[in-house]
Amino acid sequence: MTEYATLTFEGKTLELPIVTGTEGEKAIDIRMLRQKTGYITFDPGYGNTGCCKSAITFMNGEKGILRYRGIPIEELAENSTFVETSYLLINGRLPTRKELTRTSVMLNDFSLVHEDMQNFYQNFPRASHPMGILSAMVNALRSFYPELVETDEQTEMIFLRLLSKVRTMAAMSYKISRGHKVIYPRPDYTYCANFLHMMFDTPVKPYVIDQDLVRALNVFWILHADHEQNCSTSAVKTVGSARANIYATLSAGIAALWGPLHGGANQAVVEMLAKIWKEGLSIEEVISRAKDKTDPFRLMGFGHRVYKTYDPRAKIMKKICDRVLPKLNINDPLLDIAKKLEEVALNDAYFIDYNLYPNVDFYSGILLRAMGIPTNMFTVMFAIGRLPGWLAQWKENLDDPEQKLCRPRQIYTGSNQKPYIPIDDRE
Ligand code: SDX
Protein backbone atom coordinates (compact mmCIF):
# COMPACT_ATOMS: atom_id res chain seq x y z
CA MET A 1 0.00 0.00 0.00
CA THR A 2 1.52 3.34 -1.10
CA GLU A 3 2.23 5.88 1.65
CA TYR A 4 2.08 9.61 0.89
CA ALA A 5 3.77 12.79 2.12
CA THR A 6 1.49 15.84 2.26
CA LEU A 7 2.93 19.15 1.05
CA THR A 8 0.85 22.19 1.96
CA PHE A 9 1.74 25.74 0.79
CA GLU A 10 -0.02 28.74 -0.78
CA GLY A 11 -3.33 27.26 0.34
CA LYS A 12 -2.64 24.15 -1.80
CA THR A 13 -2.13 20.56 -0.63
CA LEU A 14 -0.22 18.00 -2.64
CA GLU A 15 0.02 14.28 -1.87
CA LEU A 16 3.46 12.96 -2.89
CA PRO A 17 4.08 9.19 -3.01
CA ILE A 18 6.68 7.69 -0.65
CA VAL A 19 9.23 5.29 -2.19
CA THR A 20 10.66 2.65 0.20
CA GLY A 21 13.83 0.64 -0.44
CA THR A 22 14.54 -2.97 0.56
CA GLU A 23 16.56 -1.77 3.57
CA GLY A 24 13.80 0.60 4.70
CA GLU A 25 15.24 3.78 3.15
CA LYS A 26 12.51 6.24 2.27
CA ALA A 27 12.18 8.97 -0.39
CA ILE A 28 9.51 11.42 -1.43
CA ASP A 29 8.71 10.99 -5.13
CA ILE A 30 8.62 14.57 -6.48
CA ARG A 31 8.45 13.74 -10.20
CA MET A 32 5.08 15.53 -10.52
CA LEU A 33 6.07 18.53 -8.34
CA ARG A 34 6.84 21.13 -11.05
CA GLN A 35 3.99 20.05 -13.28
CA LYS A 36 1.50 20.37 -10.40
CA THR A 37 2.93 23.37 -8.51
CA GLY A 38 5.46 25.17 -10.75
CA TYR A 39 7.97 24.64 -7.93
CA ILE A 40 11.24 22.67 -8.09
CA THR A 41 13.36 21.42 -5.18
CA PHE A 42 16.74 22.99 -4.34
CA ASP A 43 19.62 20.73 -3.22
CA PRO A 44 23.16 21.85 -4.23
CA GLY A 45 25.45 18.81 -4.33
CA TYR A 46 22.41 16.52 -4.32
CA GLY A 47 23.06 15.52 -0.68
CA ASN A 48 19.34 14.96 -0.15
CA THR A 49 18.35 13.88 -3.65
CA GLY A 50 17.95 10.32 -4.95
CA CYS A 51 18.59 10.05 -8.70
CA CYS A 52 17.58 6.43 -9.15
CA LYS A 53 16.55 3.11 -7.68
CA SER A 54 19.51 0.71 -7.69
CA ALA A 55 20.04 -2.93 -6.73
CA ILE A 56 23.83 -2.87 -6.98
CA THR A 57 25.36 -1.38 -3.79
CA PHE A 58 23.89 -0.64 -0.37
CA MET A 59 25.53 1.82 2.01
CA ASN A 60 24.46 2.88 5.47
CA GLY A 61 26.56 5.93 6.34
CA GLU A 62 25.52 6.06 9.98
CA LYS A 63 26.37 2.40 10.65
CA GLY A 64 29.32 2.12 8.26
CA ILE A 65 27.72 -0.63 6.19
CA LEU A 66 28.77 -1.40 2.60
CA ARG A 67 27.40 -4.36 0.60
CA TYR A 68 27.77 -5.29 -3.08
CA ARG A 69 24.59 -7.05 -4.30
CA GLY A 70 23.79 -7.71 -0.61
CA ILE A 71 27.18 -9.26 0.30
CA PRO A 72 29.11 -7.35 3.05
CA ILE A 73 32.37 -5.78 1.85
CA GLU A 74 34.20 -7.47 4.72
CA GLU A 75 33.22 -10.95 3.41
CA LEU A 76 34.17 -10.08 -0.17
CA ALA A 77 37.53 -8.66 0.95
CA GLU A 78 38.18 -11.85 2.92
CA ASN A 79 36.99 -14.44 0.39
CA SER A 80 36.62 -13.00 -3.12
CA THR A 81 38.85 -11.84 -5.97
CA PHE A 82 38.53 -8.64 -7.99
CA VAL A 83 37.42 -10.59 -11.08
CA GLU A 84 34.76 -12.48 -9.10
CA THR A 85 33.54 -9.25 -7.44
CA SER A 86 33.41 -7.53 -10.84
CA TYR A 87 31.22 -10.39 -12.12
CA LEU A 88 29.00 -10.03 -9.03
CA LEU A 89 28.51 -6.28 -9.51
CA ILE A 90 27.83 -6.51 -13.25
CA ASN A 91 25.68 -9.67 -13.33
CA GLY A 92 23.95 -9.37 -9.95
CA ARG A 93 25.15 -12.72 -8.54
CA LEU A 94 28.35 -14.63 -7.83
CA PRO A 95 29.59 -16.71 -10.78
CA THR A 96 29.73 -20.50 -10.84
CA ARG A 97 33.21 -21.95 -11.10
CA LYS A 98 32.64 -22.53 -14.84
CA GLU A 99 31.46 -18.92 -15.35
CA LEU A 100 34.42 -17.55 -13.40
CA THR A 101 36.88 -19.61 -15.43
CA ARG A 102 35.27 -18.44 -18.69
CA THR A 103 35.42 -14.82 -17.51
CA SER A 104 39.10 -15.13 -16.56
CA VAL A 105 39.96 -16.68 -19.93
CA MET A 106 38.11 -13.87 -21.78
CA LEU A 107 39.89 -11.23 -19.71
CA ASN A 108 43.21 -12.75 -20.75
CA ASP A 109 42.06 -12.98 -24.37
CA PHE A 110 41.28 -9.23 -24.30
CA SER A 111 44.40 -8.18 -22.42
CA LEU A 112 46.39 -6.87 -25.41
CA VAL A 113 46.04 -3.31 -26.66
CA HIS A 114 46.20 -2.35 -30.36
CA GLU A 115 49.86 -1.66 -31.20
CA ASP A 116 48.91 1.67 -32.80
CA MET A 117 47.86 2.89 -29.34
CA GLN A 118 51.51 3.04 -28.34
CA ASN A 119 51.87 5.94 -30.80
CA PHE A 120 49.29 7.88 -28.79
CA TYR A 121 51.30 7.43 -25.60
CA GLN A 122 54.55 8.52 -27.26
CA ASN A 123 53.01 11.91 -28.09
CA PHE A 124 52.00 12.87 -24.56
CA PRO A 125 54.49 15.20 -22.83
CA ARG A 126 56.58 13.11 -20.42
CA ALA A 127 55.22 15.02 -17.41
CA SER A 128 51.57 14.26 -18.33
CA HIS A 129 49.50 13.04 -15.39
CA PRO A 130 48.49 9.37 -15.79
CA MET A 131 44.82 10.22 -15.13
CA GLY A 132 44.78 12.66 -18.05
CA ILE A 133 46.40 10.02 -20.24
CA LEU A 134 43.97 7.33 -19.07
CA SER A 135 40.91 9.49 -19.70
CA ALA A 136 42.15 10.30 -23.22
CA MET A 137 43.16 6.72 -24.01
CA VAL A 138 39.87 5.20 -22.86
CA ASN A 139 38.08 7.67 -25.11
CA ALA A 140 40.44 6.69 -27.94
CA LEU A 141 39.48 3.02 -27.53
CA ARG A 142 36.25 3.86 -29.37
CA SER A 143 38.34 4.45 -32.52
CA PHE A 144 39.71 0.90 -32.34
CA TYR A 145 36.50 -0.84 -31.25
CA PRO A 146 33.67 1.15 -32.82
CA GLU A 147 30.83 -1.34 -32.26
CA LEU A 148 27.85 -0.04 -30.32
CA VAL A 149 26.23 -1.78 -27.38
CA GLU A 150 23.26 -3.51 -29.01
CA THR A 151 23.07 -7.00 -27.44
CA ASP A 152 23.84 -8.56 -24.05
CA GLU A 153 26.58 -10.64 -25.69
CA GLN A 154 28.18 -7.45 -27.02
CA THR A 155 27.81 -5.78 -23.62
CA GLU A 156 29.65 -8.64 -21.91
CA MET A 157 32.43 -8.53 -24.51
CA ILE A 158 32.80 -4.74 -24.27
CA PHE A 159 32.77 -4.82 -20.45
CA LEU A 160 35.43 -7.54 -20.25
CA ARG A 161 37.48 -5.87 -22.96
CA LEU A 162 37.44 -2.62 -20.95
CA LEU A 163 38.23 -4.32 -17.63
CA SER A 164 41.21 -6.02 -19.23
CA LYS A 165 42.53 -3.32 -21.52
CA VAL A 166 42.28 -0.41 -19.07
CA ARG A 167 44.51 -2.41 -16.70
CA THR A 168 46.98 -3.05 -19.57
CA MET A 169 46.86 0.59 -20.66
CA ALA A 170 47.68 1.77 -17.12
CA ALA A 171 50.79 -0.42 -16.99
CA MET A 172 51.77 0.62 -20.54
CA SER A 173 51.45 4.28 -19.55
CA TYR A 174 53.81 3.71 -16.62
CA LYS A 175 56.44 1.89 -18.70
CA ILE A 176 56.36 4.43 -21.53
CA SER A 177 56.52 7.37 -19.08
CA ARG A 178 59.79 5.89 -17.78
CA GLY A 179 61.15 5.21 -21.26
CA HIS A 180 61.07 1.48 -20.57
CA LYS A 181 60.04 -1.37 -22.85
CA VAL A 182 56.34 -2.20 -22.70
CA ILE A 183 55.80 -5.57 -21.01
CA TYR A 184 53.06 -7.76 -22.46
CA PRO A 185 50.51 -9.67 -20.35
CA ARG A 186 51.02 -13.40 -19.81
CA PRO A 187 48.17 -15.84 -20.53
CA ASP A 188 49.15 -17.96 -17.51
CA TYR A 189 48.81 -15.09 -15.01
CA THR A 190 45.65 -14.01 -13.18
CA TYR A 191 44.25 -10.49 -13.61
CA CYS A 192 46.08 -8.88 -10.68
CA ALA A 193 49.32 -10.84 -11.09
CA ASN A 194 49.39 -9.76 -14.74
CA PHE A 195 49.12 -6.11 -13.74
CA LEU A 196 52.08 -6.37 -11.37
CA HIS A 197 53.97 -8.30 -14.08
CA MET A 198 53.29 -5.61 -16.72
CA MET A 199 54.23 -2.86 -14.28
CA PHE A 200 57.45 -4.23 -12.81
CA ASP A 201 58.92 -6.91 -15.10
CA THR A 202 61.96 -5.82 -17.12
CA PRO A 203 63.99 -7.56 -19.84
CA VAL A 204 67.02 -7.59 -17.55
CA LYS A 205 65.39 -8.40 -14.23
CA PRO A 206 62.32 -10.66 -14.36
CA TYR A 207 59.66 -9.66 -11.81
CA VAL A 208 58.89 -12.46 -9.37
CA ILE A 209 55.18 -12.52 -8.51
CA ASP A 210 54.62 -12.11 -4.76
CA GLN A 211 51.33 -13.76 -3.86
CA ASP A 212 50.92 -11.53 -0.80
CA LEU A 213 50.96 -8.50 -3.10
CA VAL A 214 48.60 -10.19 -5.55
CA ARG A 215 46.16 -10.80 -2.68
CA ALA A 216 46.57 -7.23 -1.42
CA LEU A 217 45.89 -5.87 -4.92
CA ASN A 218 42.76 -8.01 -5.24
CA VAL A 219 41.46 -6.61 -1.97
CA PHE A 220 42.47 -3.05 -2.90
CA TRP A 221 40.43 -3.27 -6.11
CA ILE A 222 37.51 -5.06 -4.40
CA LEU A 223 37.30 -2.19 -1.90
CA HIS A 224 37.15 0.36 -4.75
CA ALA A 225 34.81 -1.58 -7.06
CA ASP A 226 31.60 0.38 -6.43
CA HIS A 227 30.13 2.94 -4.06
CA GLU A 228 26.56 3.66 -5.24
CA GLN A 229 25.95 7.20 -6.57
CA ASN A 230 29.35 8.86 -5.90
CA CYS A 231 30.56 11.79 -7.99
CA SER A 232 32.29 9.84 -10.78
CA THR A 233 29.52 7.25 -11.04
CA SER A 234 27.02 10.09 -11.30
CA ALA A 235 29.18 11.55 -14.10
CA VAL A 236 29.12 8.20 -15.89
CA LYS A 237 25.32 7.96 -15.54
CA THR A 238 24.78 11.56 -16.64
CA VAL A 239 26.93 11.19 -19.77
CA GLY A 240 25.47 7.73 -20.38
CA SER A 241 21.94 9.15 -20.18
CA ALA A 242 22.72 11.15 -23.33
CA ARG A 243 23.49 7.78 -25.01
CA ALA A 244 27.13 8.75 -25.53
CA ASN A 245 29.22 5.66 -26.31
CA ILE A 246 30.56 3.69 -23.34
CA TYR A 247 34.18 4.73 -23.95
CA ALA A 248 33.41 8.47 -23.85
CA THR A 249 31.15 7.83 -20.86
CA LEU A 250 33.91 6.10 -18.86
CA SER A 251 36.34 8.82 -19.89
CA ALA A 252 34.03 11.29 -18.14
CA GLY A 253 34.00 9.12 -15.02
CA ILE A 254 37.81 9.02 -14.99
CA ALA A 255 37.91 12.81 -15.29
CA ALA A 256 35.54 13.23 -12.32
CA LEU A 257 37.45 10.72 -10.21
CA TRP A 258 40.66 12.71 -10.76
CA GLY A 259 39.41 15.52 -8.53
CA PRO A 260 41.22 15.76 -5.14
CA LEU A 261 37.91 15.88 -3.27
CA HIS A 262 37.05 12.49 -4.81
CA GLY A 263 39.40 9.80 -6.10
CA GLY A 264 42.36 12.17 -6.33
CA ALA A 265 42.39 12.21 -2.52
CA ASN A 266 44.58 9.07 -2.30
CA GLN A 267 47.41 10.95 -4.02
CA ALA A 268 46.69 14.08 -1.95
CA VAL A 269 46.83 12.07 1.31
CA VAL A 270 50.30 10.69 0.60
CA GLU A 271 51.52 14.12 -0.53
CA MET A 272 50.13 15.55 2.74
CA LEU A 273 51.78 12.83 4.86
CA ALA A 274 55.08 13.21 2.98
CA LYS A 275 55.02 16.99 3.58
CA ILE A 276 54.38 16.46 7.30
CA TRP A 277 57.30 14.03 7.47
CA LYS A 278 59.71 16.04 5.29
CA GLU A 279 59.02 19.36 7.06
CA GLY A 280 58.74 17.81 10.50
CA LEU A 281 55.28 19.35 11.03
CA SER A 282 53.64 18.48 14.34
CA ILE A 283 50.40 16.51 14.34
CA GLU A 284 48.85 19.24 16.50
CA GLU A 285 49.79 21.89 13.92
CA VAL A 286 48.24 19.87 11.08
CA ILE A 287 45.03 19.22 13.02
CA SER A 288 44.84 22.89 13.96
CA ARG A 289 45.15 23.94 10.28
CA ALA A 290 42.46 21.45 9.25
CA LYS A 291 40.09 23.07 11.77
CA ASP A 292 40.96 26.64 10.83
CA LYS A 293 38.16 28.00 8.61
CA THR A 294 40.48 30.72 7.31
CA ASP A 295 42.90 28.04 6.08
CA PRO A 296 41.97 26.16 2.85
CA PHE A 297 43.90 23.13 4.14
CA ARG A 298 41.78 20.03 4.74
CA LEU A 299 42.80 16.75 6.31
CA MET A 300 42.83 14.71 3.12
CA GLY A 301 41.46 11.20 3.46
CA PHE A 302 39.09 12.36 6.21
CA GLY A 303 35.36 12.99 5.92
CA HIS A 304 32.71 11.63 3.60
CA ARG A 305 29.39 12.72 2.15
CA VAL A 306 27.71 9.49 3.22
CA TYR A 307 29.82 7.85 5.95
CA LYS A 308 29.35 9.68 9.26
CA THR A 309 31.39 6.96 10.96
CA TYR A 310 34.53 5.03 10.08
CA ASP A 311 34.54 4.06 6.36
CA PRO A 312 34.47 0.23 6.48
CA ARG A 313 36.91 0.16 3.58
CA ALA A 314 39.44 2.25 5.52
CA LYS A 315 39.35 -0.29 8.36
CA ILE A 316 40.18 -3.12 5.96
CA MET A 317 42.84 -1.04 4.15
CA LYS A 318 44.55 -0.24 7.47
CA LYS A 319 44.62 -3.95 8.39
CA ILE A 320 46.20 -4.83 5.02
CA CYS A 321 48.89 -2.18 5.57
CA ASP A 322 49.64 -3.65 9.00
CA ARG A 323 49.88 -7.13 7.45
CA VAL A 324 51.70 -6.46 4.16
CA LEU A 325 54.28 -3.83 5.08
CA PRO A 326 56.06 -5.98 7.74
CA LYS A 327 56.05 -8.95 5.31
CA LEU A 328 57.84 -6.73 2.79
CA ASN A 329 60.17 -5.48 5.53
CA ILE A 330 58.87 -1.99 4.87
CA ASN A 331 58.76 0.44 7.76
CA ASP A 332 57.02 3.43 6.16
CA PRO A 333 57.12 6.54 8.39
CA LEU A 334 54.03 7.81 6.57
CA LEU A 335 51.99 4.94 8.06
CA ASP A 336 53.05 5.96 11.56
CA ILE A 337 52.15 9.59 10.83
CA ALA A 338 48.74 8.52 9.43
CA LYS A 339 47.99 6.49 12.55
CA LYS A 340 48.98 9.39 14.84
CA LEU A 341 46.82 11.80 12.80
CA GLU A 342 43.88 9.42 13.06
CA GLU A 343 44.32 8.99 16.81
CA VAL A 344 44.44 12.75 17.50
CA ALA A 345 41.65 13.63 15.05
CA LEU A 346 39.24 10.98 16.34
CA ASN A 347 39.61 12.44 19.83
CA ASP A 348 39.17 16.04 18.71
CA ALA A 349 35.80 17.76 19.19
CA TYR A 350 35.87 19.31 15.68
CA PHE A 351 36.20 15.96 13.95
CA ILE A 352 33.76 14.32 16.33
CA ASP A 353 31.15 17.07 15.89
CA TYR A 354 31.46 17.00 12.08
CA ASN A 355 31.53 13.19 12.01
CA LEU A 356 34.85 13.23 10.16
CA TYR A 357 36.52 9.80 10.02
CA PRO A 358 39.15 8.20 7.77
CA ASN A 359 37.75 7.29 4.36
CA VAL A 360 38.98 4.75 1.82
CA ASP A 361 41.73 7.11 0.64
CA PHE A 362 43.40 7.64 4.01
CA TYR A 363 45.44 4.41 4.08
CA SER A 364 45.17 3.26 0.46
CA GLY A 365 48.18 5.27 -0.71
CA ILE A 366 50.38 3.70 1.98
CA LEU A 367 49.58 0.26 0.55
CA LEU A 368 50.19 1.40 -3.03
CA ARG A 369 53.56 2.87 -2.03
CA ALA A 370 54.48 -0.50 -0.49
CA MET A 371 53.61 -2.17 -3.82
CA GLY A 372 55.93 0.23 -5.64
CA ILE A 373 53.13 2.09 -7.44
CA PRO A 374 54.21 5.71 -8.15
CA THR A 375 52.16 8.37 -6.33
CA ASN A 376 50.83 9.95 -9.53
CA MET A 377 49.28 6.57 -10.47
CA PHE A 378 47.30 6.15 -7.24
CA THR A 379 44.08 7.51 -8.73
CA VAL A 380 44.60 5.37 -11.83
CA MET A 381 44.58 2.40 -9.44
CA PHE A 382 41.29 3.70 -8.01
CA ALA A 383 39.88 4.02 -11.55
CA ILE A 384 40.76 0.42 -12.49
CA GLY A 385 39.02 -0.74 -9.30
CA ARG A 386 35.93 1.41 -9.95
CA LEU A 387 35.47 0.22 -13.53
CA PRO A 388 33.10 -2.69 -12.73
CA GLY A 389 30.98 -0.35 -10.61
CA TRP A 390 30.79 2.26 -13.34
CA LEU A 391 29.86 -0.42 -15.91
CA ALA A 392 27.24 -2.03 -13.68
CA GLN A 393 25.65 1.33 -12.78
CA TRP A 394 25.74 2.52 -16.41
CA LYS A 395 23.94 -0.63 -17.62
CA GLU A 396 21.40 -0.56 -14.79
CA ASN A 397 20.62 3.05 -15.69
CA LEU A 398 20.14 2.29 -19.40
CA ASP A 399 17.93 -0.72 -18.58
CA ASP A 400 15.77 1.28 -16.12
CA PRO A 401 12.51 2.35 -17.86
CA GLU A 402 12.10 5.14 -15.31
CA GLN A 403 15.41 6.77 -16.30
CA LYS A 404 15.78 9.42 -19.01
CA LEU A 405 18.20 12.16 -20.08
CA CYS A 406 19.76 13.79 -16.99
CA ARG A 407 18.84 17.48 -17.04
CA PRO A 408 18.52 19.23 -13.62
CA ARG A 409 16.71 22.57 -13.23
CA GLN A 410 17.94 25.76 -11.48
CA ILE A 411 16.88 28.87 -9.59
CA TYR A 412 17.89 31.88 -11.71
CA THR A 413 19.50 34.76 -9.75
CA GLY A 414 20.85 36.86 -12.64
CA SER A 415 19.63 40.17 -14.11
CA ASN A 416 16.03 40.76 -14.98
CA GLN A 417 15.38 41.69 -18.64
CA LYS A 418 17.47 44.59 -19.94
CA PRO A 419 18.21 46.01 -23.46
CA TYR A 420 21.27 45.42 -25.64
CA ILE A 421 23.55 48.52 -25.50
CA PRO A 422 25.55 49.39 -28.64
CA ILE A 423 29.29 49.35 -27.95
CA ASP A 424 29.75 53.10 -28.52
CA ASP A 425 27.12 53.84 -25.84
CA ARG A 426 28.82 51.78 -23.12
CA GLU A 427 30.92 53.36 -20.38
C1 SDX B 1 35.92 9.50 -2.08
O1 SDX B 1 31.01 9.68 -2.56
C2 SDX B 1 31.77 8.63 -2.46
O2 SDX B 1 31.31 7.55 -2.24
C3 SDX B 1 33.26 8.89 -2.69
C4 SDX B 1 34.18 7.72 -2.46
C5 SDX B 1 33.94 6.59 -3.44
O3 SDX B 1 34.31 5.44 -3.13
O4 SDX B 1 33.50 6.90 -4.58
O5 SDX B 1 34.02 7.21 -1.14
C6 SDX B 1 35.64 8.14 -2.64
O6 SDX B 1 35.82 10.46 -2.80
C7 SDX B 1 36.26 9.63 -0.63
C8 SDX B 1 36.46 11.12 -0.18
C9 SDX B 1 37.89 11.52 -0.54
N1 SDX B 1 38.09 12.96 -0.34
C10 SDX B 1 38.83 13.42 0.69
O7 SDX B 1 39.36 12.70 1.53
C11 SDX B 1 39.02 14.93 0.68
C12 SDX B 1 38.86 15.48 2.11
N2 SDX B 1 37.45 15.37 2.49
C13 SDX B 1 36.59 16.45 2.22
O8 SDX B 1 36.92 17.41 1.32
C14 SDX B 1 35.11 16.20 2.48
O9 SDX B 1 35.01 15.49 3.64
C15 SDX B 1 34.33 15.51 1.37
C16 SDX B 1 34.46 16.24 0.08
C17 SDX B 1 34.81 14.11 1.20
C18 SDX B 1 32.87 15.46 1.79
O10 SDX B 1 32.49 16.75 1.95
P1 SDX B 1 30.94 17.19 2.05
O11 SDX B 1 30.06 16.03 2.30
O12 SDX B 1 30.61 18.05 0.89
O13 SDX B 1 30.94 18.00 3.38
P2 SDX B 1 31.44 19.47 3.51
O14 SDX B 1 32.59 19.75 2.59
O15 SDX B 1 30.24 20.34 3.44
O16 SDX B 1 32.04 19.43 5.01
C19 SDX B 1 31.16 19.59 6.11
C20 SDX B 1 32.00 20.36 7.14
C21 SDX B 1 32.62 21.63 6.53
O17 SDX B 1 32.71 22.58 7.57
P3 SDX B 1 31.71 23.89 7.46
O18 SDX B 1 32.09 24.63 6.19
O19 SDX B 1 30.29 23.35 7.43
O20 SDX B 1 32.04 24.69 8.72
O21 SDX B 1 33.11 19.51 7.53
C22 SDX B 1 34.33 20.18 7.18
C23 SDX B 1 34.00 21.22 6.15
O22 SDX B 1 34.95 22.29 6.23
N3 SDX B 1 35.20 19.15 6.60
C24 SDX B 1 36.51 19.07 6.83
C25 SDX B 1 36.93 17.94 6.11
N4 SDX B 1 35.89 17.38 5.47
C26 SDX B 1 34.81 18.15 5.78
N5 SDX B 1 37.35 19.84 7.56
C27 SDX B 1 38.66 19.45 7.56
N6 SDX B 1 39.16 18.36 6.89
C28 SDX B 1 38.31 17.60 6.17
N7 SDX B 1 38.79 16.54 5.50
Side-chain angles (χ1 to χ4, degrees):
M1 196 262 282
T2 304
E3 298 172 276
Y4 289 87
T6 301
L7 184 61
T8 303
F9 64 105
E10 294 176 352
K12 286 181 281 193
T13 298
L14 188 62
E15 298 287 317
L16 295 168
I18 301 286
V19 179
T20 304
T22 44
E23 287 291 330
E25 296 166 292
K26 297 211 179 268
I28 299 171
D29 184 338
I30 57 164
R31 278 176 285 187
M32 301 307 287
L33 183 66
R34 191 170 189 281
Q35 184 182 330
K36 290 195 171 176
T37 67
Y39 278 58
I40 61 170
T41 57
F42 185 63
D43 186 21
Y46 305 127
N48 302 281
T49 297
C51 64
C52 64
K53 296 170 187 169
S54 177
I56 297 172
T57 292
F58 172 70
M59 289 169 65
N60 179 310
E62 286 66 37
K63 297 177 182 170
I65 293 172
L66 174 60
R67 301 179 196 142
Y68 295 161
R69 299 290 187 178
I71 302 175
I73 191 69
E74 294 81 4
E75 293 185 40
L76 289 167
E78 185 65 30
N79 303 299
S80 188
T81 64
F82 177 58
V83 170
E84 183 182 70
T85 295
S86 298
Y87 186 103
L88 169 71
L89 286 167
I90 292 168
N91 297 286
R93 60 176 175 80
L94 290 167
T96 61
R97 187 179 298 278
K98 188 179 171 191
E99 289 167 331
L100 185 57
T101 303
R102 175 177 171 274
T103 301
S104 298
V105 168
M106 288 177 76
L107 285 169
N108 270 349
D109 290 347
F110 289 138
S111 55
L112 288 175
V113 172
H114 197 293
E115 288 292 315
D116 287 359
M117 289 201 95
Q118 292 201 32
N119 303 329
F120 287 48
Y121 284 101
Q122 301 296 359
N123 291 301
F124 280 103
R126 277 284 174 263
S128 301
H129 194 287
M131 281 297 277
I133 295 173
L134 187 67
S135 181
M137 297 306 283
V138 168
N139 218 337
L141 274 176
R142 173 80 166 74
S143 310
F144 293 91
Y145 307 100
E147 74 281 311
L148 299 176
V149 181
E150 302 291 354
T151 64
D152 282 348
E153 290 69 34
Q154 268 188 308
T155 301
E156 181 192 35
M157 179 183 66
I158 288 173
F159 280 15
L160 294 178
R161 172 185 286 143
L162 278 160
L163 284 170
S164 192
K165 291 184 190 305
V166 170
R167 171 211 48 183
T168 300
M169 287 156 64
M172 269 174 74
S173 172
Y174 172 65
K175 283 298 196 187
I176 291 171
S177 71
R178 302 194 64 197
H180 290 181
K181 182 179 180 311
V182 169
I183 300 296
Y184 286 78
R186 287 180 43 162
D188 58 327
Y189 277 178
T190 58
Y191 185 93
C192 290
N194 241 330
F195 176 76
L196 295 172
H197 165 69
M198 290 188 279
M199 282 286 288
F200 302 121
D201 192 64
T202 69
V204 293
K205 187 180 179 215
Y207 176 74
V208 178
I209 297 292
D210 178 329
Q211 289 306 329
D212 285 324
L213 283 189
V214 171
R215 183 64 208 149
L217 183 54
N218 269 291
V219 178
F220 177 90
W221 276 335
I222 287 169
L223 295 178
H224 287 82
D226 192 53
H227 218 231
E228 54 132 284
Q229 307 310 315
N230 61 84
C231 178
S232 53
T233 297
S234 302
V236 164
K237 293 174 76 163
T238 297
V239 174
S241 77
R243 299 297 188 268
N245 69 75
I246 183 63
Y247 304 98
T249 298
L250 289 178
S251 179
I254 293 166
L257 188 71
W258 193 0
L261 292 187
H262 187 19
N266 56 17
Q267 175 175 342
V269 167
V270 164
E271 288 167 348
M272 173 186 74
L273 296 173
K275 180 177 169 64
I276 294 168
W277 181 55
K278 190 175 167 198
E279 298 178 12
L281 302 176
S282 73
I283 298 295
E284 289 65 30
E285 181 184 357
V286 173
I287 294 293
S288 169
R289 280 195 61 195
K291 293 156 57 174
D292 179 355
K293 291 304 172 191
T294 63
D295 188 332
F297 174 79
R298 283 198 164 185
L299 194 59
M300 301 310 279
F302 257 73
H304 199 276
R305 175 64 58 81
V306 175
Y307 290 125
K308 299 311 171 191
T309 184
Y310 213 108
D311 183 333
R313 303 167 297 174
K315 282 183 187 170
I316 297 167
M317 201 72 80
K318 185 178 175 184
K319 281 183 191 159
I320 301 175
C321 288
D322 285 337
R323 190 171 70 233
V324 170
L325 269 67
K327 276 198 172 180
L328 297 172
N329 295 317
I330 293 176
N331 181 20
D332 188 346
L334 302 195
L335 178 57
D336 300 330
I337 293 170
K339 287 181 176 179
K340 285 195 189 99
L341 269 175
E342 174 189 333
E343 183 188 346
V344 173
L346 294 190
N347 289 289
D348 182 285
Y350 174 90
F351 290 85
I352 294 168
D353 294 348
Y354 276 129
N355 296 309
L356 302 176
Y357 292 83
N359 59 51
V360 67
D361 294 310
F362 192 60
Y363 288 104
S364 60
I366 306 283
L367 178 61
L368 294 175
R369 268 164 59 94
M371 289 183 193
I373 307 291
T375 305
N376 70 358
M377 269 193 74
F378 285 3
T379 312
V380 167
M381 297 298 285
F382 192 147
I384 296 170
R386 187 52 53 90
L387 261 176
W390 285 335
L391 293 170
Q393 297 272 0
W394 171 83
K395 185 160 188 327
E396 184 182 63
N397 211 51
L398 289 193
D399 293 346
D400 181 347
E402 291 189 315
Q403 289 298 326
K404 47 188 174 180
L405 177 71
C406 289
R407 204 276 183 219
R409 304 304 293 261
Q410 63 166 26
I411 293 296
Y412 175 70
T413 56
S415 303
N416 297 111
Q417 184 173 338
K418 59 185 181 182
Y420 177 82
I421 299 168
I423 193 159
D424 295 332
D425 299 342
R426 298 171 202 161
E427 283 84 43

